[in-house]
Amino acid sequence: MEKATPKYLEMVRWINNQIEEKKLVPGQKLYSENTLKEMFGVSRQTVRHAIGVLENEGVVRRIQGSGTYINDDRLANLTRHMRVSVVTTYVDGYIFPRTIQGIENVLLEAGYSVQIAFTNNQHGRERTILEDIISRDEVSGLIVEPTKSGIPNPNLRLYQEIRKRRIPVIFINSYYPQLKIPHVSINDHMAGWRMTKYLISMGHKKIGGIFKLDDGQGQSRFAGYMDAMFDAGLEVEDKQVVWVDTEEKHHLEKASEKVLERFKNCTAVFCYNDEVAFGLLDIFKKHNIRVPQDISVASVDDSELAILGDVPIASTPHPMERLGGKAAENLLRMIKDPSFDANYEFEVDVVPRSSVRRLG
């Protein structure tokens, strides 16, 4: 008595016959697991066993998040391109881990793999990363945090080359105004305007500011601060404003003398972000300047740093994980529809805390 052919092998032979008879052609998507299960009256496990055998033989190729296809050299490109490169300035800090987590959650769910690189906010490192992406030609899209977006960038030609190759790009947190590339960020002008209006509503008129010179976020927040002051009919003197670059932001104590001189007649200070505000509180503490009794301090991001110090800092929230998720969602839409407008700015509000006191 002849031994019965295993069900999975029947399915393997049938699919091979379909290919030989050109009823299934290279590049064509194979029937779904559910369809094959019904066609052969077998379990899902049997279907997966059969597909596994065909895959090992090179007959079919499984593409995560897309399905199983009759093998074709073109499928190698499809598999390779189910990948997105994410380039941010730093790996640490309070914003980046949660932003990257938001990006990964969306992309992995959609079947894409994610490769991550960090520029350390240096143009040379950014150039190396972009040149590598171009030479490998292995990604279907890029999510990039610009490097020092407030000053001229020597790498713009590389972004233009990426765009020529029809690879979608989306910026996060900031953007290069010289390039017509969409961005997902908070509304930085609104952040500066709303926090300054809050300080004014608390009775402050002499309001100083610390802003980051070499990125677009700092310049937009400064513009919001200035507009709020002008709207209220308040004068802003140049000596009330301190500009810092990337290195100075990380070592604010080195600018202590300038900071103390600029803010000596101010009743409040609006800071570029929580890191700057946290450093400012440390300077004030070392010089016996009390917050908020002697001077109020407010900031942007509403991170862990805003509540870690002796005095909780009033701040405007940064959506972090939601921002990363939105950037990933918009990139996926750009991949499907290159004409999609992927620009998006999150509105912000004020979280009052005890670092700001009411005057009068």
Side-chain angles (χ1 to χ4, degrees):
M1 183 175 179
E2 188 175 339
K3 189 175 180 180
T5 303
K7 285 288 187 181
Y8 82 89
L9 195 53
E10 286 184 15
M11 191 180 307
V12 168
R13 290 173 177 172
W14 181 82
I15 290 173
N16 279 321
N17 287 335
Q18 293 288 297
I19 294 171
E20 288 176 9
E21 295 172 7
K22 296 186 178 181
K23 294 179 180 178
L24 289 173
V25 298
Q28 183 176 344
K29 192 172 184 178
L30 186 61
Y31 306 107
S32 70
E33 289 185 1
N34 282 336
T35 300
L36 290 171
K37 177 174 169 287
E38 295 299 322
M39 286 172 63
F40 288 88
V42 296
S43 67
R44 187 180 295 272
Q45 184 178 358
T46 299
V47 173
R48 290 178 176 174
H49 187 189
I51 292 174
V53 170
L54 290 165
E55 187 174 28
N56 288 337
E57 293 176 351
V59 176
V60 301
R61 183 187 295 270
R62 276 189 277 205
I63 299 176
Q64 184 180 8
S66 182
T68 302
Y69 295 78
I70 308 305
N71 210 353
D72 183 341
D73 289 342
R74 291 171 295 176
L75 291 174
N77 290 333
L78 183 55
T79 303
R80 181 186 68 192
H81 287 166
M82 292 291 286
R83 181 182 297 117
V84 169
S85 182
V86 178
V87 182
T88 66
T89 52
Y90 297 105
V91 62
D92 55 0
Y94 50 76
I95 287 179
F96 305 107
R98 289 179 60 186
T99 301
I100 292 172
Q101 184 62 56
I103 292 171
E104 287 186 324
N105 288 344
V106 171
L107 292 179
L108 294 178
E109 178 69 22
Y112 284 76
S113 62
V114 180
Q115 61 183 40
I116 300 174
F118 308 100
T119 66
N120 295 321
N121 213 27
Q122 299 295 324
H123 287 139
R125 177 64 180 156
E126 181 187 45
R127 181 179 65 252
T128 299
I129 292 169
L130 293 177
E131 287 176 342
D132 184 64
I133 289 171
I134 290 170
S135 66
R136 290 177 182 272
D137 191 25
E138 294 178 343
V139 299
S140 55
L142 278 79
I143 297 175
V144 183
E145 182 183 40
T147 295
K148 296 179 179 175
S149 56
I151 61 177
N153 188 304
N155 299 322
L156 299 186
R157 62 178 181 81
L158 296 175
Y159 287 105
Q160 291 166 342
E161 175 62 26
I162 290 169
R163 291 293 301 279
K164 284 180 183 177
R165 296 178 180 224
R166 301 186 183 279
I167 300 174
V169 182
I170 191 165
F171 289 132
I172 56 171
N173 291 330
S174 190
Y175 58 95
Y176 297 121
Q178 302 92 333
L179 298 175
K180 293 182 179 180
I181 292 178
H183 69 278
V184 172
S185 69
I186 67 169
N187 187 323
D188 289 294
H189 183 279
M190 180 186 292
W193 187 84
R194 285 199 168 169
M195 184 53 81
T196 306
K197 290 288 285 186
Y198 168 67
L199 292 171
I200 294 169
S201 73
M202 295 294 282
H204 295 275
K205 296 181 179 180
K206 287 285 187 179
I207 303 171
I210 304 183
F211 301 96
K212 194 161 180 285
L213 176 66
D214 54 7
D215 73 35
Q217 295 163 284
Q219 295 178 17
S220 292
R221 292 171 193 180
F222 169 73
Y225 155 81
M226 291 290 286
D227 284 346
M229 294 291 282
F230 289 151
D231 289 347
L234 299 176
E235 184 178 353
V236 178
E237 299 180 19
D238 289 344
K239 64 182 181 180
Q240 292 173 220
V241 177
V242 175
W243 290 95
V244 296
D245 62 18
T246 296
E247 296 306 315
E248 291 170 323
K249 180 175 74 75
H250 294 316
H251 304 284
L252 194 61
E253 71 280 358
K254 293 182 179 179
S256 294
E257 186 175 339
K258 178 169 66 175
V259 165
L260 294 171
E261 174 63 26
R262 293 288 178 96
F263 300 148
K264 66 182 180 181
N265 294 320
C266 295
T267 64
V269 180
F270 171 59
C271 299
Y272 164 79
N273 69 3
D274 291 344
E275 181 185 358
V276 170
F278 194 79
L280 184 61
L281 260 61
D282 188 54
I283 292 173
F284 285 159
K285 184 177 181 180
K286 289 177 179 176
H287 290 83
N288 298 314
I289 298 172
R290 300 169 302 165
V291 175
Q293 294 90 335
D294 300 324
I295 192 167
S296 293
V297 175
S299 181
V300 176
D301 287 342
D302 193 29
S303 67
E304 292 88 345
L305 283 178
I307 56 175
L308 278 180
D310 296 335
V311 181
I313 303 168
S315 193
T316 62
H318 188 294
M320 301 183 201
E321 192 167 332
R322 287 192 297 126
L323 187 148
K326 184 66 175 178
E329 290 169 3
N330 284 8
L331 181 71
L332 293 177
R333 292 191 64 177
M334 289 173 67
I335 291 171
K336 293 179 180 178
D337 177 11
S339 67
F340 173 68
D341 181 4
N343 285 295
Y344 189 87
E345 292 188 351
F346 287 85
E347 294 191 359
V348 297
D349 212 337
V350 172
V351 178
R353 292 198 177 94
S354 56
S355 65
V356 176
R357 77 180 183 99
R358 182 179 295 278
L359 297 184

